[in-house]
Amino acid sequence: MSFQKIKSNTKRLTARGRLEAKGVQMGIYFHDTYQKASIWIQIRPKFLNRSLLGDLLKVTYRYSDKRKAYYGQCIEIIKRTQKCIVARVVFEFEDYYYQIEGKTIPKRYYLIDQQDLSHLSIGQRVLIRFKQWDPHRSYPLAELIQTIKANEKSSYRNQINQIALHYGFQNSFPQKMLKDIQSLTTSITTEETKNRMDFRNELTFTIDQETAKDLDDAISFKKLPNSNYQIGIHIADVTHYLPKDSVLDREAYHRGTSVYFIDQVIPMLPEVLSNDLCSLNPSEDKLTFSVIFEMTSEGKVMHHQFAKTIINSNQRLSYQQVQSLFDENNHHPKNVHFKGFSDSQRHALLVLHDITKHLRFKRIKEGSLIIQSEEVKYEVDQDAHPINVTIRIQNQAQQLIEELMLLANRTVADFFSRYDAKIPTVYRVHDLPDVDGLEQISQRLKSIGITMNTSTDNVKEMLNASMLSLAKTPHAYWLSTLITKAMSKAQYRTKNIGHYGLGFDKYTHFTSPIRRYSDVLVHRILKSLLFHDKEGYPGFRKLEEYCDHINFQEINALKVEREVQKFMQCLYVLKLKQKGGAYKGYVSGLSRYGMFVELSETKCQGMVFFREVPDAKYSFVKNRWIIEKRKKRRKVVEIGDLLHVSIGKVSLERKLIDYHFIKWISP
């Protein structure tokens, strides 16, 4: 069915999606396979039919020619939201209720369970979760998760925690989980060891960030008699300690993911699991689920196998340590002595470095997209006040681990694809990019003399070539930004459509079960297929519901990380404002009111309103601002343009920064 037929068809169509707020509207986003785009379906309050924000809905909808928009109504609540909500105890309607904080559309109340009233008082802030909705009651009943201390807004650290709470992520775990945690078997029995491949005598190590506590992957290395290499990718066997459908498992599912920001983590699993039992800490026997490869020195996979394993990591290494080894080897390749590494470790890392360089080259050649990623890292004091900010670019040590994890994930997905017709599995899919976004990139490249035809199949090849040719020029920023903006959001789905960004026909997530529930599902499904345990996989419909929920939680976690980042930017810019002066920045986005500007050195983003740019009139045409200056001089403002700004108003509450325009900088 074509797009035009959908628009002109008066028959109501059916869709499903999560109920969310978009400004003052309520509705769902639905991915239309014919249009290959996400459609916003607005649902008016009278057609919500008792649905709540975050609920998974089935809706009927049609297109309104008059309003040029899609409108629908809820016909079924497939699954209720399990998101935790911040609320306040109020006295309304001659009884006590929870009133939801924040901008809820419409204003929402929850009933308080009578057994909780003795612990509560008027005005108290709490964390609650939907429990049930009696058909004869006007309001749903809420489950009390925890009370929030009255002084929790008094410090920067607590304000940051409030952001996480707002999106349903809390540090504490329900008290009823304690019994489940206490009943966990922490020792590894002899019988369990006999049922696993033993890698405890093999050279094994982890490579991660210096501050990481949840180490869920380790690498083993051994040279084989035929001069090939045995490379084991060992992943924490979380499902061994996480009984299916237990209280612990249900809580992990509700959370869906761990959330990382500044120097904190809100874990998906309690610390006894994430940092202890499952974490692959050095010099400790650990249960793992592994993919073991036989590979040549050029990165060709000769053979692989899946296995339950037991390991004992020899050493915990950091990305910084391993990168220093690579840097030193580049300058002094004949030096066999490197501080902090044994000869065997040094040899293993250098061989792995060469192998993963081959893997990366082959991956990009076969269609993976090159995107230059930067990580903004804030050094903070005890109260989370920023002391310093650094910009980290992915180094070769991180690329080594990335390539090995991609290899493991892809290998699992290839195995899953054999059973697609019979057994539901979880894929990590990435749809085609936005057509208008690609056209914007094409037009921008054309302005600097590079031709890119968006109608051909080798768009990624042309984008990669452009990224490499512009890598060390002022154009690299806007190209990377525009590519990122054009990309669709990767998701978890039972139906495989491939991963556009990576250029893989099949891909999944297997390597991070400590922090992603998707990987827990993948481990269970893989174990079921390998060891013929039918309890490991649910039906297609149930698994698709799981995917919907995990996708929803992943988006919420991203929102937490972005909101925290905005808050930290405001704090840091306030520090810069005291010093005064001008700062160099790039135009990172455009709106009808002005341009978003990102400071070059700190990546702090704010707004320059066009009304404050002197001696100019403006028009907004196809996402570009055209400035008509005096004496008929003309300037087109585009992403990547350089300028000097000073710092204006900064709102910590709204997490917004205003910059004042000083002057344009010639490229």
Side-chain angles (χ1 to χ4, degrees):
M1 188 183 293
S2 70
F3 177 60
Q4 292 299 324
K5 286 180 180 178
I6 289 176
K7 290 181 67 174
S8 61
N9 195 339
T10 56
K11 181 182 177 182
R12 282 190 170 269
L13 302 172
T14 303
R16 45 186 272 158
R18 292 275 176 184
L19 183 64
E20 53 187 291
K22 180 183 175 184
V24 296
Q25 301 175 357
M26 296 277 278
I28 68 166
Y29 277 107
F30 163 65
H31 186 80
D32 188 276
T33 54
Y34 299 104
Q35 297 187 52
K36 294 183 178 179
S38 292
I39 297 171
W40 170 254
I41 302 173
Q42 184 179 341
I43 305 174
R44 290 171 175 163
K46 63 180 179 180
F47 296 127
L48 288 172
N49 294 332
R50 292 192 164 206
S51 55
L52 304 168
L53 280 173
D55 286 352
L56 180 62
L57 308 181
K58 183 178 181 181
V59 305
T60 58
Y61 70 100
R62 62 182 176 82
Y63 185 80
S64 169
D65 290 311
K66 182 179 179 181
R67 292 185 173 85
K68 307 296 181 187
Y70 291 91
Y71 289 87
Q73 68 179 67
C74 172
I75 58 172
E76 181 187 351
I77 300 170
I78 299 171
K79 191 173 184 63
R80 284 291 189 184
T81 178
Q82 293 299 305
K83 176 185 174 183
C84 294
I85 311 165
V86 179
R88 189 179 298 275
V89 178
V90 296
F91 188 79
E92 297 274 349
F93 323 117
E94 300 180 352
D95 211 338
Y96 293 94
Y97 291 82
Y98 297 121
Q99 180 178 318
I100 306 307
E101 289 190 353
K103 298 177 181 178
T104 55
I105 313 291
K107 190 175 182 180
R108 175 63 66 194
Y109 292 92
Y110 280 79
L111 293 168
I112 295 178
D113 197 319
Q114 292 296 314
Q115 65 184 7
D116 293 330
L117 278 175
S118 59
H119 308 296
L120 302 171
S121 58
I122 293 289
Q124 189 165 31
R125 300 177 72 244
V126 291
L127 198 66
I128 61 172
R129 186 159 58 198
F130 173 86
K131 189 173 184 180
Q132 65 185 49
W133 198 335
D134 190 321
H136 306 293
R137 303 299 295 266
S138 299
Y139 297 95
L141 180 69
E143 172 189 13
L144 176 65
I145 302 298
Q146 70 179 67
T147 58
I148 300 173
K149 295 178 182 179
N151 65 347
E152 283 202 357
K153 279 191 175 182
S154 61
S155 69
Y156 295 139
R157 177 76 67 182
N158 286 326
Q159 287 183 63
I160 289 168
N161 289 333
Q162 291 294 315
I163 295 170
L165 281 175
H166 175 74
Y167 288 102
F169 295 98
Q170 74 276 11
N171 275 306
S172 60
F173 286 83
Q175 290 293 316
K176 58 187 177 184
M177 281 179 53
L178 293 177
K179 290 183 180 179
D180 273 24
I181 294 172
Q182 290 170 355
S183 65
L184 289 175
T185 303
T186 58
S187 59
I188 300 173
T189 64
T190 304
E191 188 65 27
E192 185 64 43
T193 303
K194 288 179 181 178
N195 293 329
R196 292 176 178 262
M197 289 182 66
D198 196 337
F199 279 79
R200 287 176 292 182
N201 293 323
E202 303 291 347
L203 175 63
T204 307
F205 45 81
T206 61
I207 309 175
D208 217 310
Q209 297 288 1
E210 289 178 337
T211 56
K213 296 179 180 178
D214 48 354
L215 310 177
D216 48 13
D217 57 86
I219 309 300
S220 66
F221 178 89
K222 181 171 71 173
K223 188 170 184 178
L224 300 173
N226 62 1
S227 295
N228 289 339
Y229 299 97
Q230 183 192 78
I231 299 171
I233 301 175
H234 307 284
I235 310 301
D237 193 355
V238 171
T239 57
H240 178 83
Y241 298 101
L242 195 65
K244 186 180 176 184
D245 295 326
S246 64
V247 176
L248 191 59
D249 183 43
R250 289 196 294 271
E251 182 65 25
Y253 167 70
H254 293 331
R255 293 176 181 235
T257 180
S258 297
V259 188
Y260 298 83
F261 47 90
I262 31 175
D263 57 347
Q264 289 181 244
V265 57
I266 296 179
M268 181 182 78
L269 299 170
E271 287 189 5
V272 67
L273 283 173
S274 62
N275 295 358
D276 186 10
L277 286 180
C278 296
S279 185
L280 308 183
N281 303 322
S283 304
E284 296 178 10
D285 287 357
K286 295 292 180 180
L287 302 181
T288 47
F289 196 15
S290 308
V291 192
I292 301 135
F293 296 95
E294 180 184 337
M295 302 178 74
T296 67
S297 57
E298 289 79 31
K300 183 179 180 181
V301 176
M302 306 304 294
H303 173 73
H304 78 267
Q305 70 177 114
F306 303 107
K308 290 181 180 179
T309 53
I310 182 169
I311 69 166
N312 190 302
S313 175
N314 302 106
Q315 189 172 357
R316 173 184 175 163
L317 302 173
S318 70
Y319 291 128
Q320 293 83 349
Q321 283 177 291
V322 176
Q323 186 60 44
S324 68
L325 170 65
F326 295 159
D327 292 340
E328 182 68 19
N329 188 68
N330 288 336
H331 291 96
H332 306 286
K334 294 182 179 180
N335 183 4
V336 296
H337 300 291
F338 289 87
K339 188 176 180 180
F341 298 96
S342 65
D343 288 347
S344 59
Q345 286 174 336
R346 171 187 175 275
H347 174 70
L349 288 166
L350 293 178
V351 170
L352 287 170
H353 185 32
D354 286 338
I355 287 174
T356 52
K357 281 195 291 186
H358 285 293
L359 291 174
R360 182 177 175 83
F361 177 80
K362 183 173 182 288
R363 176 169 63 84
I364 293 171
K365 185 179 179 181
E366 293 178 350
S368 276
L369 192 61
I370 301 173
I371 297 179
Q372 300 294 341
S373 59
E374 295 179 327
E375 181 187 8
V376 180
K377 188 70 177 177
Y378 286 95
E379 181 185 347
V380 297
D381 61 18
Q382 190 173 0
D383 189 31
H385 192 279
I387 300 168
N388 190 28
V389 59
T390 55
I391 312 300
R392 294 181 181 176
I393 300 173
Q394 189 184 52
N395 61 30
Q396 293 171 324
Q398 290 169 307
Q399 288 176 0
L400 182 154
I401 292 298
E402 178 185 47
E403 293 304 324
L404 293 176
M405 297 306 116
L406 288 174
L407 178 63
N409 289 332
R410 192 179 186 181
T411 303
V412 173
D414 284 338
F415 181 75
F416 278 172
S417 66
R418 305 177 198 174
Y419 300 88
D420 276 352
K422 297 180 180 180
I423 295 171
T425 53
V426 177
Y427 290 100
R428 181 67 167 176
V429 301
H430 186 223
D431 211 342
L432 298 173
D434 176 62
V435 176
D436 291 338
L438 288 180
E439 187 59 35
Q440 188 179 0
I441 295 170
S442 176
Q443 292 299 319
R444 191 70 189 279
L445 287 171
K446 186 178 179 181
S447 70
I448 60 171
I450 299 176
T451 302
M452 187 184 88
N453 187 352
T454 59
S455 63
T456 62
D457 293 332
N458 63 337
V459 169
K460 281 190 286 185
E461 185 180 329
M462 290 185 284
L463 287 174
N464 284 345
S466 300
M467 279 295 300
L468 292 172
S469 65
L470 300 176
K472 296 182 180 180
T473 73
H475 301 295
Y477 174 85
W478 63 256
L479 180 56
S480 180
T481 302
L482 289 177
I483 291 174
T484 302
K485 288 177 181 287
M487 290 300 110
S488 60
K489 173 76 178 68
Q491 293 184 318
Y492 297 104
R493 288 292 170 216
T494 56
K495 182 179 180 180
N496 179 39
I497 61 170
H499 197 292
Y500 178 83
L502 291 172
F504 295 162
D505 293 332
K506 298 172 281 288
Y507 188 63
T508 192
H509 274 168
F510 164 78
T511 54
S512 296
I514 292 178
R515 61 185 180 90
R516 294 188 303 227
Y517 197 80
S518 56
D519 301 49
V520 171
L521 292 174
V522 166
H523 276 228
R524 285 183 177 143
I525 295 167
L526 185 57
K527 283 183 177 180
S528 299
L529 294 172
L530 292 170
F531 309 118
H532 310 292
D533 175 12
K534 293 185 178 181
E535 292 185 1
Y537 44 82
F540 278 97
R541 180 179 289 273
K542 189 70 174 177
L543 194 57
E544 190 64 25
E545 287 180 18
Y546 286 167
C547 289
D548 282 333
H549 173 75
I550 296 166
N551 291 331
F552 183 69
Q553 288 300 91
E554 183 181 45
I555 291 171
N556 281 328
L558 285 172
K559 288 178 179 177
V560 171
E561 291 165 12
R562 287 169 183 166
E563 289 286 301
V564 171
Q565 195 77 351
K566 288 179 183 178
F567 186 76
M568 297 306 297
Q569 287 179 7
C570 289
L571 287 177
Y572 196 77
V573 165
L574 281 173
K575 187 176 180 179
L576 295 179
K577 188 177 180 179
Q578 295 175 354
K579 299 178 181 178
Y583 296 90
K584 179 182 174 182
Y586 292 90
V587 176
S588 59
L590 294 164
S591 77
R592 293 188 175 276
Y593 305 103
M595 51 191 169
F596 295 99
V597 174
E598 188 176 278
L599 300 188
S600 304
E601 293 186 2
T602 63
K603 303 298 178 183
C604 295
Q605 183 171 271
M607 169 71 83
V608 171
F609 289 96
F610 276 118
R611 64 174 182 264
E612 294 186 2
V613 181
D615 302 325
K617 293 182 180 179
Y618 320 97
S619 57
F620 191 63
V621 181
K622 292 185 179 180
N623 296 321
R624 298 191 305 172
W625 270 97
I626 299 174
I627 300 180
E628 302 289 350
K629 296 188 175 183
R630 290 180 178 178
K631 298 180 181 180
K632 297 184 179 180
R633 287 185 300 165
R634 188 172 184 267
K635 175 176 174 58
V636 176
V637 182
E638 295 183 297
I639 290 174
D641 285 356
L642 283 166
L643 69 163
H644 275 135
V645 297
S646 61
I647 298 167
K649 293 181 181 179
V650 180
S651 171
L652 283 176
E653 184 179 353
R654 299 173 63 197
K655 305 176 191 69
L656 295 175
I657 301 168
D658 288 350
Y659 292 133
H660 295 314
F661 175 85
I662 296 177
K663 65 177 182 179
W664 298 105
I665 302 174
S666 298

